[in-house]
Amino acid sequence: DLDLLRLINQLYPIIEKEHLSMFEIDTLIMLSYFNELDLDYHVIECGIGGLNDKTNVIQSKIAVITNIGYDHQFMLGNTLLDIACHKAGIIKERVPLFTTESIVPPEQAKALPRDDLVRLAELIRLDSSKTPLAAGAALMLCCLLRPAEVCPKYGEIVDCDNFGVYAAVHNISNGERVSAMKTRNAYRQVILPKYVMDIVRDSREVLCRQGYSDNEINDAYVIHHRQDIHRPADPQDISRYVKNKLELLGYNSDYWLSMEMVVQVEPDMDDGGNALTDVTAYLLRRSGCTYLCNCASVPLPDGRSVMPHGLVDALMGHRLRNEDAWWADWIKREDNWPVIAQVLEGIILDP
């Protein structure tokens, strides 16, 4: 083609000077050729992904993402969220996005891979005698709690051997525990599976060895300040602890940036309409929610098994639909606590 040959000769000095790759050369020639034509619109398809694709130098008028699936994982990442973030890289500020994506459940794209949840749980368990933050991380991981909600005292947890239970009625605000939760629905029964109770017991044993009396320990916070057992830990310290563990598993700065974008677009909200934007809490709660909804069923006394969507909302402190309101009473019944504990532990430790 004479036009192609002409453009190669014309652009050759630039190609040599910048040491362009083959795809960069193709993109340069394409854009140069289109620029010479009197076209109303240019439709440009990305190569792989979009974020780092050479065509992404274009300031487009619209962005189109067709579907998000497992493809080119060696370059785009191993999770749907990683892949989606690469494709979303073509979106420019104040540029409309069109997509045909409707197959992948939104929560699935936000969830951590099951194997990583198991590895995270193992890392936390190894710290059970080293830092009280491990207990806070375990409560976030298995009990779907936000960091500010992770503030029980030892004496408030009922130890039922294979599980534990306490009432979530407090929240950390400005360094103090207050009798107020972020939302009306956040007042709820918290079931601690055996994995969490083992860590709580380890933390209690540490205080026993340090010489504290039973009364002092019962009045101490499970997740306490490193210098004062009667002062709650900073929720941000718990979040940073979880984030550090995930970074050990390979979750890098690009991942956290993408998650921050997700949280900003679709944040949790309190009753005042304020966004709750703790990224680690968002990530663990969405992971737990996803696997509870998609990978678990709850056995009822009459022999039936039901999908636990209403149970998930009740455990997470979400508003219940009218048809699911019975779950709020269901989780208060003591004979159901072992079942809840088994389900919560299963989604983390039994993938």
Side-chain angles (χ1 to χ4, degrees), residues 71-235:
D71 196 12
H72 303 297
Q73 290 167 258
F74 68 100
M75 293 185 66
L76 305 182
N78 292 319
T79 70
L80 290 175
L81 179 59
D82 290 335
I83 296 169
C85 288
H86 268 277
K87 294 199 173 190
I90 67 171
I91 304 171
K92 305 296 193 300
E93 186 176 359
R94 301 185 183 278
V95 170
L97 168 69
F98 296 87
T99 179
T100 61
E101 181 57 55
S102 61
I103 299 173
V104 178
E107 298 304 320
Q108 181 181 347
K110 303 169 193 170
L112 289 169
R114 295 291 293 274
D115 288 349
D116 284 353
L117 287 178
V118 174
R119 295 164 65 199
L120 176 61
E122 291 172 348
L123 290 175
I124 293 170
R125 184 72 174 86
L126 291 173
D127 280 349
S128 61
S129 298
K130 300 176 183 177
T131 172
L133 297 178
L139 281 163
M140 287 177 61
L141 178 64
C142 292
C143 303
L144 310 176
L145 295 173
R146 302 178 179 93
E149 297 173 339
V150 181
C151 55
K153 295 183 177 181
Y154 283 102
E156 295 168 348
I157 298 176
V158 179
D159 191 335
C160 303
D161 193 19
N162 286 326
F163 64 92
V165 61
Y166 78 93
V169 295
H170 298 100
N171 186 66
I172 302 298
S173 178
N174 297 322
E176 301 292 333
R177 191 172 82 154
V178 296
S179 298
M181 301 295 281
K182 289 291 187 182
T183 67
R184 289 185 296 272
N185 301 289
Y187 293 89
R188 60 199 187 277
Q189 208 82 356
V190 177
I191 311 301
L192 288 67
K194 185 177 183 300
Y195 163 80
V196 179
M197 284 305 299
D198 286 343
I199 294 177
V200 171
R201 294 185 191 111
D202 286 348
S203 299
R204 185 184 183 101
E205 181 60 28
V206 170
L207 298 184
C208 287
R209 292 198 301 267
Q210 292 175 354
Y212 291 100
S213 68
D214 284 345
N215 287 338
E216 288 176 315
I217 295 175
N218 285 336
D219 193 44
Y221 290 100
V222 178
I223 305 91
H224 54 263
H225 190 274
R226 62 181 180 275
Q227 296 177 342
D228 184 358
I229 66 172
H230 296 111
R231 177 181 167 190
D234 186 333

Side-chain angles (χ1 to χ4, degrees), residues 316-334:
M316 295 185 72
H318 289 169
R319 183 182 295 110
L320 294 171
R321 298 174 300 178
N322 291 335
E323 60 268 31
D324 291 328
W326 63 277
W327 281 108
D329 293 326
W330 193 87
I331 66 173
K332 296 177 183 177
R333 290 175 44 188
E334 293 185 24

Side-chain angles (χ1 to χ4, degrees), residues 248-265:
L248 290 176
L249 298 179
Y251 290 82
N252 59 24
S253 58
D254 289 340
Y255 177 84
W256 292 109
L257 178 60
S258 66
M259 277 305 304
E260 288 172 4
M261 293 169 59
V262 171
V263 172
Q264 290 173 10
V265 171

